[in-house]
mmCIF file of all heavy atoms in Angstrom:
data_model
loop_
_atom_site.group_PDB
_atom_site.id
_atom_site.type_symbol
_atom_site.label_atom_id
_atom_site.label_comp_id
_atom_site.label_asym_id
_atom_site.label_seq_id
_atom_site.Cartn_x
_atom_site.Cartn_y
_atom_site.Cartn_z
ATOM 1 N N ASN T 1 82.562 94.688 93.782
ATOM 2 C CA ASN T 1 83.143 93.647 92.943
ATOM 3 C C ASN T 1 83.922 94.268 91.790
ATOM 4 O O ASN T 1 83.714 95.426 91.443
ATOM 5 C CB ASN T 1 82.040 92.734 92.392
ATOM 6 C CG ASN T 1 81.271 92.023 93.474
ATOM 7 O OD1 ASN T 1 81.820 91.660 94.522
ATOM 8 N ND2 ASN T 1 79.987 91.820 93.258
ATOM 9 N N SER T 2 84.799 93.478 91.215
ATOM 10 C CA SER T 2 85.579 93.920 90.047
ATOM 11 C C SER T 2 86.269 95.253 90.318
ATOM 12 O O SER T 2 86.186 96.187 89.510
ATOM 13 C CB SER T 2 84.679 94.010 88.811
ATOM 14 O OG SER T 2 84.067 92.781 88.536
ATOM 15 N N LEU T 3 86.929 95.345 91.448
ATOM 16 C CA LEU T 3 87.567 96.604 91.832
ATOM 17 C C LEU T 3 88.723 96.953 90.900
ATOM 18 O O LEU T 3 89.436 96.080 90.401
ATOM 19 C CB LEU T 3 88.051 96.518 93.272
ATOM 20 C CG LEU T 3 86.943 96.688 94.307
ATOM 21 C CD1 LEU T 3 87.364 96.135 95.653
ATOM 22 C CD2 LEU T 3 86.559 98.159 94.426
ATOM 23 N N LYS T 4 88.885 98.251 90.712
ATOM 24 C CA LYS T 4 89.909 98.779 89.806
ATOM 25 C C LYS T 4 90.959 99.544 90.613
ATOM 26 O O LYS T 4 90.639 100.125 91.655
ATOM 27 C CB LYS T 4 89.262 99.709 88.784
ATOM 28 C CG LYS T 4 88.139 99.074 87.989
ATOM 29 C CD LYS T 4 87.449 100.090 87.108
ATOM 30 C CE LYS T 4 86.287 99.453 86.345
ATOM 31 N NZ LYS T 4 85.589 100.457 85.499
ATOM 32 N N PRO T 5 92.174 99.592 90.136
ATOM 33 C CA PRO T 5 93.226 100.314 90.870
ATOM 34 C C PRO T 5 92.864 101.772 91.153
ATOM 35 O O PRO T 5 93.229 102.311 92.210
ATOM 36 C CB PRO T 5 94.431 100.212 89.930
ATOM 37 C CG PRO T 5 94.199 98.956 89.168
ATOM 38 C CD PRO T 5 92.712 98.875 88.960
ATOM 39 N N GLU T 6 92.165 102.402 90.222
ATOM 40 C CA GLU T 6 91.806 103.812 90.412
ATOM 41 C C GLU T 6 90.729 104.003 91.471
ATOM 42 O O GLU T 6 90.390 105.146 91.808
ATOM 43 C CB GLU T 6 91.349 104.436 89.081
ATOM 44 C CG GLU T 6 90.163 103.753 88.430
ATOM 45 C CD GLU T 6 90.589 102.718 87.400
ATOM 46 O OE1 GLU T 6 91.645 102.074 87.580
ATOM 47 O OE2 GLU T 6 89.837 102.572 86.400
ATOM 48 N N GLU T 7 90.199 102.910 91.989
ATOM 49 C CA GLU T 7 89.202 103.014 93.047
ATOM 50 C C GLU T 7 89.822 102.962 94.439
ATOM 51 O O GLU T 7 89.117 102.907 95.447
ATOM 52 C CB GLU T 7 88.141 101.933 92.863
ATOM 53 C CG GLU T 7 87.322 102.192 91.604
ATOM 54 C CD GLU T 7 86.266 101.167 91.332
ATOM 55 O OE1 GLU T 7 86.556 99.950 91.376
ATOM 56 O OE2 GLU T 7 85.126 101.583 91.060
ATOM 57 N N LYS T 8 91.131 103.008 94.486
ATOM 58 C CA LYS T 8 91.804 103.184 95.772
ATOM 59 C C LYS T 8 91.368 104.527 96.360
ATOM 60 O O LYS T 8 91.487 105.573 95.720
ATOM 61 C CB LYS T 8 93.312 103.177 95.583
ATOM 62 C CG LYS T 8 94.083 103.563 96.825
ATOM 63 C CD LYS T 8 95.577 103.666 96.525
ATOM 64 C CE LYS T 8 96.320 104.183 97.741
ATOM 65 N NZ LYS T 8 97.789 104.280 97.502
ATOM 66 N N ALA T 9 90.846 104.484 97.565
ATOM 67 C CA ALA T 9 90.328 105.706 98.176
ATOM 68 C C ALA T 9 89.978 105.440 99.628
ATOM 69 O O ALA T 9 89.960 104.292 100.088
ATOM 70 C CB ALA T 9 89.089 106.196 97.423
ATOM 71 N N GLU T 10 89.668 106.516 100.325
ATOM 72 C CA GLU T 10 89.058 106.430 101.637
ATOM 73 C C GLU T 10 87.554 106.396 101.405
ATOM 74 O O GLU T 10 87.021 107.244 100.677
ATOM 75 C CB GLU T 10 89.436 107.642 102.482
ATOM 76 C CG GLU T 10 89.083 107.527 103.947
ATOM 77 C CD GLU T 10 90.119 106.753 104.753
ATOM 78 O OE1 GLU T 10 91.168 106.378 104.189
ATOM 79 O OE2 GLU T 10 89.870 106.510 105.940
ATOM 80 N N TYR T 11 86.900 105.411 101.990
ATOM 81 C CA TYR T 11 85.462 105.252 101.788
ATOM 82 C C TYR T 11 84.730 105.644 103.070
ATOM 83 O O TYR T 11 85.088 105.192 104.159
ATOM 84 C CB TYR T 11 85.130 103.819 101.390
ATOM 85 C CG TYR T 11 85.486 103.525 99.945
ATOM 86 C CD1 TYR T 11 86.806 103.343 99.554
ATOM 87 C CD2 TYR T 11 84.490 103.446 98.973
ATOM 88 C CE1 TYR T 11 87.122 103.101 98.222
ATOM 89 C CE2 TYR T 11 84.803 103.187 97.646
ATOM 90 C CZ TYR T 11 86.119 103.014 97.280
ATOM 91 O OH TYR T 11 86.444 102.769 95.957
ATOM 92 N N PHE T 12 83.717 106.480 102.901
ATOM 93 C CA PHE T 12 82.989 107.037 104.030
ATOM 94 C C PHE T 12 81.520 106.649 103.971
ATOM 95 O O PHE T 12 80.902 106.677 102.914
ATOM 96 C CB PHE T 12 83.072 108.570 104.024
ATOM 97 C CG PHE T 12 84.461 109.107 104.159
ATOM 98 C CD1 PHE T 12 85.250 109.310 103.047
ATOM 99 C CD2 PHE T 12 84.976 109.413 105.414
ATOM 100 C CE1 PHE T 12 86.538 109.817 103.156
ATOM 101 C CE2 PHE T 12 86.260 109.923 105.548
ATOM 102 C CZ PHE T 12 87.040 110.119 104.418
ATOM 103 N N CYS T 13 80.990 106.357 105.136
ATOM 104 C CA CYS T 13 79.565 106.125 105.295
ATOM 105 C C CYS T 13 78.914 107.444 105.694
ATOM 106 O O CYS T 13 79.527 108.258 106.388
ATOM 107 C CB CYS T 13 79.363 105.072 106.376
ATOM 108 S SG CYS T 13 77.667 104.654 106.765
ATOM 109 N N SER T 14 77.685 107.638 105.263
ATOM 110 C CA SER T 14 76.963 108.854 105.625
ATOM 111 C C SER T 14 75.533 108.520 105.996
ATOM 112 O O SER T 14 74.976 107.507 105.558
ATOM 113 C CB SER T 14 76.974 109.851 104.468
ATOM 114 O OG SER T 14 76.154 109.379 103.401
ATOM 115 N N ALA T 15 74.962 109.410 106.809
ATOM 116 C CA ALA T 15 73.558 109.283 107.180
ATOM 117 C C ALA T 15 72.913 110.641 107.018
ATOM 118 O O ALA T 15 73.399 111.635 107.572
ATOM 119 C CB ALA T 15 73.412 108.797 108.612
ATOM 120 N N GLY T 16 71.836 110.701 106.266
ATOM 121 C CA GLY T 16 71.189 111.973 105.997
ATOM 122 C C GLY T 16 69.738 111.964 106.394
ATOM 123 O O GLY T 16 68.993 111.028 106.088
ATOM 124 N N GLY T 17 69.365 113.015 107.093
ATOM 125 C CA GLY T 17 67.975 113.184 107.488
ATOM 126 C C GLY T 17 67.772 114.663 107.748
ATOM 127 O O GLY T 17 68.064 115.490 106.886
ATOM 128 N N VAL T 18 67.337 114.997 108.935
ATOM 129 C CA VAL T 18 67.279 116.409 109.325
ATOM 130 C C VAL T 18 68.702 116.968 109.367
ATOM 131 O O VAL T 18 68.960 118.109 108.976
ATOM 132 C CB VAL T 18 66.595 116.564 110.688
ATOM 133 C CG1 VAL T 18 66.641 118.017 111.141
ATOM 134 C CG2 VAL T 18 65.155 116.068 110.607
ATOM 135 N N GLU T 19 69.637 116.164 109.841
ATOM 136 C CA GLU T 19 71.050 116.533 109.828
ATOM 137 C C GLU T 19 71.832 115.495 109.022
ATOM 138 O O GLU T 19 71.287 114.456 108.636
ATOM 139 C CB GLU T 19 71.578 116.620 111.258
ATOM 140 C CG GLU T 19 70.889 117.700 112.081
ATOM 141 C CD GLU T 19 71.496 117.855 113.464
ATOM 142 O OE1 GLU T 19 72.688 117.548 113.626
ATOM 143 O OE2 GLU T 19 70.777 118.291 114.373
ATOM 144 N N PHE T 20 73.079 115.811 108.795
ATOM 145 C CA PHE T 20 73.928 114.930 107.995
ATOM 146 C C PHE T 20 75.127 114.521 108.829
ATOM 147 O O PHE T 20 75.746 115.341 109.492
ATOM 148 C CB PHE T 20 74.393 115.663 106.730
ATOM 149 C CG PHE T 20 74.931 114.753 105.667
ATOM 150 C CD1 PHE T 20 74.081 114.151 104.753
ATOM 151 C CD2 PHE T 20 76.289 114.477 105.593
ATOM 152 C CE1 PHE T 20 74.571 113.308 103.767
ATOM 153 C CE2 PHE T 20 76.791 113.645 104.620
ATOM 154 C CZ PHE T 20 75.935 113.050 103.703
ATOM 155 N N TYR T 21 75.447 113.210 108.744
ATOM 156 C CA TYR T 21 76.536 112.683 109.546
ATOM 157 C C TYR T 21 77.517 111.906 108.674
ATOM 158 O O TYR T 21 77.121 111.274 107.682
ATOM 159 C CB TYR T 21 75.984 111.745 110.620
ATOM 160 C CG TYR T 21 74.981 112.389 111.532
ATOM 161 C CD1 TYR T 21 73.619 112.310 111.265
ATOM 162 C CD2 TYR T 21 75.384 113.080 112.673
ATOM 163 C CE1 TYR T 21 72.684 112.908 112.095
ATOM 164 C CE2 TYR T 21 74.450 113.670 113.519
ATOM 165 C CZ TYR T 21 73.113 113.578 113.212
ATOM 166 O OH TYR T 21 72.194 114.173 114.049
ATOM 167 N N TRP T 22 78.785 111.939 109.111
ATOM 168 C CA TRP T 22 79.842 111.194 108.427
ATOM 169 C C TRP T 22 80.464 110.179 109.376
ATOM 170 O O TRP T 22 80.603 110.440 110.563
ATOM 171 C CB TRP T 22 80.957 112.139 107.972
ATOM 172 C CG TRP T 22 80.617 113.067 106.862
ATOM 173 C CD1 TRP T 22 80.375 114.403 106.952
ATOM 174 C CD2 TRP T 22 80.503 112.751 105.466
ATOM 175 N NE1 TRP T 22 80.117 114.934 105.716
ATOM 176 C CE2 TRP T 22 80.196 113.938 104.782
ATOM 177 C CE3 TRP T 22 80.635 111.568 104.735
ATOM 178 C CZ2 TRP T 22 80.016 113.995 103.402
ATOM 179 C CZ3 TRP T 22 80.455 111.627 103.359
ATOM 180 C CH2 TRP T 22 80.153 112.816 102.703
ATOM 181 N N GLY T 23 80.918 109.083 108.802
ATOM 182 C CA GLY T 23 81.782 108.179 109.520
ATOM 183 C C GLY T 23 83.227 108.633 109.397
ATOM 184 O O GLY T 23 83.527 109.608 108.713
ATOM 185 N N GLN T 24 84.126 107.903 110.030
ATOM 186 C CA GLN T 24 85.531 108.310 110.031
ATOM 187 C C GLN T 24 86.281 107.808 108.804
ATOM 188 O O GLN T 24 87.396 108.264 108.535
ATOM 189 C CB GLN T 24 86.216 107.809 111.312
ATOM 190 C CG GLN T 24 86.754 106.388 111.248
ATOM 191 C CD GLN T 24 85.670 105.321 111.269
ATOM 192 O OE1 GLN T 24 84.505 105.602 111.492
ATOM 193 N NE2 GLN T 24 86.056 104.067 111.040
ATOM 194 N N GLY T 25 85.682 106.892 108.071
ATOM 195 C CA GLY T 25 86.294 106.403 106.842
ATOM 196 C C GLY T 25 87.050 105.100 107.021
ATOM 197 O O GLY T 25 87.517 104.778 108.114
#
């Protein structure tokens, strides 16, 4: 909410456990 222009970015999901994983964004 209340997004700001400087928050323009690629947003990534991650999952962390024994290993770490990324989404494509």
Side-chain angles (χ1 to χ4, degrees):
N1 299 326
S2 302
L3 282 160
K4 304 174 182 179
E6 58 265 33
E7 293 179 311
K8 171 185 174 179
E10 191 83 5
Y11 284 75
F12 298 88
C13 179
S14 70
V18 175
E19 297 185 27
F20 196 86
Y21 302 93
W22 290 105
Q24 86 288 351

